[in-house]
Amino acid sequence: AVWRSYVVHELAHAAIHLSCVSTCPRRAVHEYVAAVAQYSSLPADLRADLVGRFGDVAPWGSEAEISDTYYAVDPERFAVKSYLHYRQPQAGPEFVHRLIHGGDR
C-alpha cells in the first residue's frame, strides 16, 4: 500500500504539470497536492498509523506557511501537515484548485 501511494504521489505531480496553462505552481504547491493524494490513497488504518507517528504536527495555519523551505527541511512533516490541512473545512478541493490555478474558476 505504501509503494502504491508513492505511485499516486508521482501521478499527482504529472497531473499538475498537465493542468499548467502558462506557468506551473511552485514546488511547495506540487508537494502539498502530491502529499494529499498520497495519504488519501492509503488504507485508513495505515494512514492513521503514519500520521500518528507525527502526533506533534498540526495542519498548516495559513497558506503562507506552505513553503519550499519547510518542504526542503522536513518533507515527511510537510506531507503530514498538508494532509491534515486538506482535511480542514477551509481547505479541500477548492483550496487545491486555488493553489494550482491562482484562484480563478
Side-chain angles (χ1 to χ4, degrees):
V2 173
W3 285 111
R4 282 191 301 272
S5 78
Y6 289 134
V7 172
V8 169
H9 180 103
E10 295 308 323
L11 288 172
H13 284 300
I16 294 168
H17 280 292
L18 287 173
S19 73
C20 296
V21 177
S22 57
T23 60
C24 276
R26 59 195 167 86
R27 181 173 189 162
V29 170
H30 268 264
E31 295 302 337
Y32 177 100
V33 175
V36 167
Q38 179 176 1
Y39 274 79
S40 296
S41 75
L42 291 167
D45 58 337
L46 178 56
R47 180 175 51 246
D49 180 52
L50 293 174
V51 170
R53 294 177 188 186
F54 295 92
D56 62 329
V57 172
W60 300 111
S62 73
E63 184 177 335
E65 294 177 9
I66 304 170
S67 70
D68 294 355
T69 302
Y70 196 110
Y71 174 75
V73 170
D74 198 337
E76 288 181 289
R77 286 184 187 279
F78 181 98
V80 171
K81 287 179 82 62
S82 298
Y83 175 74
L84 293 173
H85 178 266
Y86 179 81
R87 305 273 308 168
Q88 299 294 305
Q90 74 276 13
E94 290 296 321
F95 178 79
V96 168
H97 184 275
R98 190 168 47 77
L99 275 180
I100 294 171
H101 300 289
D104 61 329
R105 185 144 213 190

